[in-house]
Amino acid sequence: MASVENDDGTVKYGIVGVGMMGREHLINLYHLRSQNVGVVAIADPHVPSQQLAVELAQSFGWHLEVFSGHRELLDSGLCDVVVVSSPNMTHYRILMDIISHPKPHHVLVEKPLCTTVADCKKVVDAARRRTDMLVQVGLEYRYMPPVAKLIEVVRGGAVGQVKMVAIREHRFPFLVKVDNWNRFNANTGGTLVEKCCHFFDLMKLFAGANPVRVMASGAIDVNHKDEVYDGKVPDIIDNAYVIVEFDNGSRGMLDLCMFAEGSKNEQEISVVGDIGKGEAFVPESLVRFGTRVAGRDGVQTLKAEDRRIKYDGLHHGSSYLEHLTFLSAVRAKGEKAPAVDLQDGLISVAIGVAAQLSIEKGQFVTIQEVMGEHYG
């Protein structure tokens, strides 16, 4: 495993793609400065995004080398770690270039890993040959304090054998991004890949099993219908129900609505086992759990907090904890695996792709159908 610490002990980061999420990573890394990290370079072809990132870095007292393309950043030799937060459809090419580069760079890539299963699998295969690199996928919802607490409750056996996982996300529409790239399935992979890979990752984590088949129903009912870009109307769905069956007999269900600003919580997660039930609520940051024997009167309610968080940011501190965990793995020099690995990224995309396909076909789609004959 390649060493990342320089003579002064600093781990040097580069960020590829400094739109909204790239700048969020920049801020998180600034709040990790006590861990002896620094952002030294960025790459983005969009000049206004470059300028915003440079101004932000200057306010932190950081000087950035600015590149228009990721290859120039890699060739500069300035970085030990690269954060990939560019538009979804660019991930595959950027990741393959990082993995094939002579200098090893550890990588934190934003979700989704890639927009297609085929591209994800190529990245997974290529990365296997680079034992001198770590690649972690940015499925940071695992780190939201109430979600992390619910994971702890479930793993501690409080609900017994998990049978059902229900996740509701009721939220605002997709935000405006550079050149409106996120308005089209061809760029994002589809809403159930772009947005919901987070929730499919959580379902798999709670179920402790692999997905087998998916059934979904969804549509574009409210959002973006009056928008036109280069003569094209957006084709991203704004609501869906998705059922996922796992190989241990458990089931997951996603209830997604992206025109539900009138919600107290954006995410509500329910995990039911054979002896109990646990729930998490975001952003209320509450966790409830109880058993069938104790009944309603025995339900406990906890306020979930993580005092390690120094910056809440856009995702309730989860991006900060994601960086903290990834940095620990990088500094362990091969002794620790990434907390969220490429296989996790692949499976979360595969479930999303199967769900999008299910909507098109109006029938169940097996994971083997989207993953290929060697799955399972």
Side-chain angles (χ1 to χ4, degrees):
M1 182 64 62
S3 175
V4 297
E5 294 184 315
N6 297 278
D7 292 341
D8 61 357
T10 305
V11 179
K12 296 180 178 179
Y13 283 71
I15 302 177
V16 177
V18 286
M20 183 186 71
M21 199 60 213
R23 296 193 297 276
E24 175 78 353
H25 284 295
L26 181 60
I27 300 169
N28 274 283
L29 288 164
Y30 172 71
H31 283 86
L32 273 168
R33 64 194 182 281
S34 64
Q35 302 287 326
N36 217 7
V37 305
V39 178
V40 298
I42 60 169
D44 197 310
H46 188 245
V47 174
S49 293
Q50 291 178 7
Q51 292 170 338
L52 288 169
V54 167
E55 289 169 8
L56 189 59
Q58 286 174 342
S59 74
F60 300 154
W62 282 351
H63 169 74
L64 298 180
E65 292 295 328
V66 179
F67 302 95
S68 60
H70 67 278
R71 293 184 184 90
E72 292 87 346
L73 181 147
L74 297 173
D75 290 342
S76 74
L78 293 170
C79 306
D80 309 304
V81 178
V82 176
V83 177
V84 178
S85 45
S86 55
N88 300 2
M89 67 285 190
T90 67
H91 287 188
Y92 169 71
R93 186 67 268 155
I94 292 168
L95 287 170
M96 293 299 278
D97 287 344
I98 295 172
I99 292 166
S100 64
H101 198 272
K103 174 180 164 65
H105 298 83
H106 302 299
V107 186
L108 176 63
V109 56
E110 264 300 333
K111 60 79 194 167
L113 174 57
C114 300
T115 58
T116 69
V117 170
D119 284 351
C120 287
K121 289 171 76 172
K122 289 174 192 172
V123 169
V124 171
D125 290 341
R128 283 198 187 103
R129 297 189 284 274
R130 290 301 299 259
T131 56
D132 53 351
M133 292 173 52
L134 287 178
V135 185
Q136 180 163 315
V137 182
L139 292 164
E140 78 279 357
Y141 279 33
R142 294 177 178 215
Y143 298 111
M144 287 183 181
V147 179
K149 183 63 181 178
L150 183 58
I151 292 169
E152 181 186 315
V153 166
V154 171
R155 285 180 171 170
V159 305
Q161 180 65 46
V162 172
K163 299 298 181 184
M164 302 176 74
V165 181
I167 301 178
R168 169 181 288 166
E169 180 171 66
H170 281 195
R171 56 162 279 173
F172 48 88
F174 280 119
L175 299 173
V176 175
K177 298 291 182 78
V178 174
D179 294 332
N180 302 292
W181 68 266
N182 64 337
R183 294 306 198 246
F184 298 96
N185 290 331
N187 296 334
T188 67
T191 299
L192 299 178
V193 172
E194 146 58 31
K195 184 75 202 72
C196 301
C197 57
H198 277 305
F199 305 121
F200 301 138
D201 175 61
L202 291 178
M203 284 181 191
K204 181 175 179 290
L205 197 63
F206 284 121
N210 288 313
V212 177
R213 66 175 189 164
V214 178
M215 177 66 195
S217 174
I220 314 166
D221 286 330
V222 176
N223 297 340
H224 316 305
K225 297 175 81 169
D226 58 349
E227 300 173 16
V228 179
Y229 305 101
D230 296 327
K232 297 178 182 176
V233 177
D235 60 359
I236 48 170
I237 64 173
D238 59 16
N239 70 100
Y241 291 113
V242 182
I243 297 169
V244 184
E245 296 180 346
F246 291 90
D247 61 9
N248 65 353
S250 60
R251 294 179 182 82
M253 185 191 74
L254 173 68
D255 166 3
L256 174 73
C257 181
M258 299 192 68
F259 45 90
E261 292 93 330
S263 303
K264 187 171 183 64
N265 284 296
E266 194 170 311
Q267 289 95 23
E268 299 178 3
I269 302 173
S270 167
V271 181
V272 185
D274 56 355
I275 66 169
K277 174 182 175 179
E279 296 176 282
F281 301 89
V282 181
E284 274 189 300
S285 208
L286 295 178
V287 176
R288 294 194 182 103
F289 58 96
T291 63
R292 297 173 68 190
V293 171
R296 185 172 296 158
D297 291 340
V299 173
Q300 299 179 54
T301 301
L302 302 175
K303 183 75 173 178
E305 297 176 324
D306 192 319
R307 295 186 178 179
R308 295 174 298 169
I309 296 170
K310 294 184 179 179
Y311 173 66
D312 283 338
L314 300 175
H315 299 105
H316 313 290
S318 61
S319 294
Y320 180 89
L321 295 174
E322 171 184 56
H323 274 290
L324 196 63
T325 306
F326 179 57
L327 179 62
S328 174
V330 166
R331 282 200 160 124
K333 300 176 183 177
E335 296 298 316
K336 282 186 183 178
V340 188
D341 64 20
L342 287 168
Q343 191 67 20
D344 294 320
L346 166 61
I347 297 298
S348 68
V349 168
I351 298 173
V353 167
Q356 293 280 154
L357 192 57
S358 174
I359 291 171
E360 292 175 25
K361 290 186 168 188
Q363 61 189 40
F364 268 106
V365 173
T366 66
I367 298 297
Q368 186 168 344
E369 186 178 337
V370 299
M371 285 281 284
E373 61 186 50
H374 300 298
Y375 176 72

